[in-house]
Amino acid sequence: MSDSAVLDADCVRYGVIGTGMMGVEHIENILHLDGTTVSAIADTNAERREIGAQVARRQGGGDVIQFADHRTMLDSGLVDAVVIVTPNMTHADVLSDVLATDVHVMVEKPLCTTVADCQRVIAAETSGTAQRVVWMGLEYRYMPPTTALLNEIRSGTVGNVKMVSIREHRFPFLQKVDDWNRFNRNTGGTFVEKCCHFFDLMGLIADAEPVRVYASGAQDVNHLDETYDGEIPDVLDNGFVVVDFDNGVRGLLDLCMFAEASKNEQEISVTGDEGKVEAMVTESLLRIGRRADGQHVVSERSITDDSIRHVGLHDGASYLEHVDFLAAIRSGEAAKVTLLDGMTSVAIGVAAHRSIECGQPVEMGEVI
Ligand SMILES: NC(=O)c1ccc[n+]([C@@H]2O[C@H](COP(=O)([O-])OP(=O)(O)OC[C@H]3O[C@@H](n4cnc5c(N)ncnc54)[C@H](O)[C@@H]3O)[C@@H](O)[C@H]2O)c1
């Protein structure tokens, strides 16, 4: 156990930095864990701070101290762990401030909006001596059907994985506080902001490093009739991205953000030399076909996880991610999802945007 591990008997005091839509989701999840409290919240927006405090009180939390500046919160001594849930373009600076202390931290995806900023925070993490958990928030790993799919792959159900295809067909980007998500300069671009989740999953399933990215995409439908200070949003709303991995596995992302009229928001299909496994995430279904059983022979099962105490906005994935983060805080063990995982997922997104701009494949060595 490291010096900073928190014993089971101790209550872990969390601070949440950024109490917008996702910050509230984190507060609710933290308060569904045993032996935790949200002792402080920090948000630059007074209205959002008050909403965060109200949610914490409603969920049965104790006193929540509000801060307008996360640095004052860090100096207060009120928190053992923080969750960074501010807009993407602020992650690098806020995380750097947190990494200068010894509090445990989970940072929401995407790690940062650029690879250079990812490298900066990773250098800050590795240069310090603090013994604490630094956790990359990539909760799609924790969606129950995705976990079931990963378990099947790891137990050899499909043989050697060759192809990973992920389809996200969903609704347009929601409205955010101060409309930060309408511009690539704030988000990193759609393939960074949204799709880092899927590039992370691809790498996990392929169990390999990305070497090359080819992409085609555009902003064809969404937000074209909106203006902010006279500027039209520039966020891409559909595209295909192909990723080559260093063990020969091929990944495909099919993204459409004007396709809410779909049965599943995400469908993941993994094919190996012996069979195929598919996760229908919204329907919470897993389908398995093994070539040895013959053509069109497919079994299907529903996936449930009774350990989930709070379903929230992400099918219980945020809750399960917090269970593991808390376990690492209590045991002093290393994070299961690291800043390096965060950087790799961002770098694939950056490469995808570059490939669209230049109309050519982009080697990962060009972006990392
Ligand atoms: N894991 C997921 O599936 C998922 C889902 C949604 C959002 N997110 C991520 O969570 C983060 C927040 O997204 P959101 O949807 O909650 O946005 P949001 O706009 O609803 O909330 C952001 C909040 O951060 C506050 N804020 C801005 N700058 C700040 C600063 N410097 N210090 C403190 N507070 C600050 C804003 O006032 C706002 O209340 C983003 O990085 C986003 O990518 C992740």
Side-chain angles (χ1 to χ4, degrees), residues 155-231:
S155 64
T157 302
V158 302
N160 297 305
V161 171
K162 297 295 176 193
M163 298 178 77
V164 182
S165 165
I166 301 181
R167 166 178 291 165
E168 175 157 270
H169 279 193
R170 57 161 275 179
F171 52 89
F173 280 123
L174 299 172
Q175 211 75 39
K176 296 290 166 186
V177 176
D178 298 329
D179 307 306
W180 63 268
N181 68 344
R182 291 306 195 251
F183 297 97
N184 293 330
R185 59 178 175 269
N186 298 330
T187 65
T190 303
F191 284 129
V192 171
E193 143 66 9
K194 174 70 230 163
C195 305
C196 58
H197 279 305
F198 307 120
F199 299 134
D200 175 60
L201 284 180
M202 268 182 204
L204 200 61
I205 294 167
D207 194 18
E209 294 301 318
V211 288
R212 189 174 305 106
V213 173
Y214 324 62
S216 168
Q219 180 185 15
D220 285 328
V221 176
N222 295 346
H223 317 303
L224 291 166
D225 55 353
E226 300 172 10
T227 53
Y228 301 89
D229 293 330
E231 204 180 349

Side-chain angles (χ1 to χ4, degrees), residues 17-23 42-45 48 68 70 85-88 90-91 94 108-110 137 139-140 176-178 180 193-194 197 314:
I17 306 176
T19 50
M21 187 201 84
M22 196 60 196
D43 199 301
T44 44
N45 178 310
R48 288 308 314 180
H70 64 278
V85 208
T86 54
N88 302 358
T90 66
H91 290 186
V94 176
E108 258 300 346
K109 67 80 202 163
E139 65 177 0
Y140 279 46
K176 296 290 166 186
V177 176
D178 298 329
W180 63 268
E193 143 66 9
K194 174 70 230 163
H197 279 305
H314 295 91

Side-chain angles (χ1 to χ4, degrees), residues 229-240:
D229 293 330
E231 204 180 349
I232 297 171
D234 60 359
V235 290
L236 171 156
D237 57 23
N238 72 103
F240 293 109

Side-chain angles (χ1 to χ4, degrees), residues 307-350:
S307 74
I308 294 171
R309 291 187 190 166
H310 183 68
V311 173
L313 301 173
H314 295 91
D315 302 319
S318 303
Y319 173 78
L320 295 170
E321 180 182 46
H322 269 291
V323 168
D324 272 6
F325 178 47
L326 179 61
I329 291 172
R330 290 204 183 286
S331 67
E333 280 168 16
K336 287 185 184 166
V337 196
T338 65
L339 299 193
L340 203 54
D341 295 322
M343 179 167 79
T344 304
S345 63
V346 165
I348 297 176
V350 168

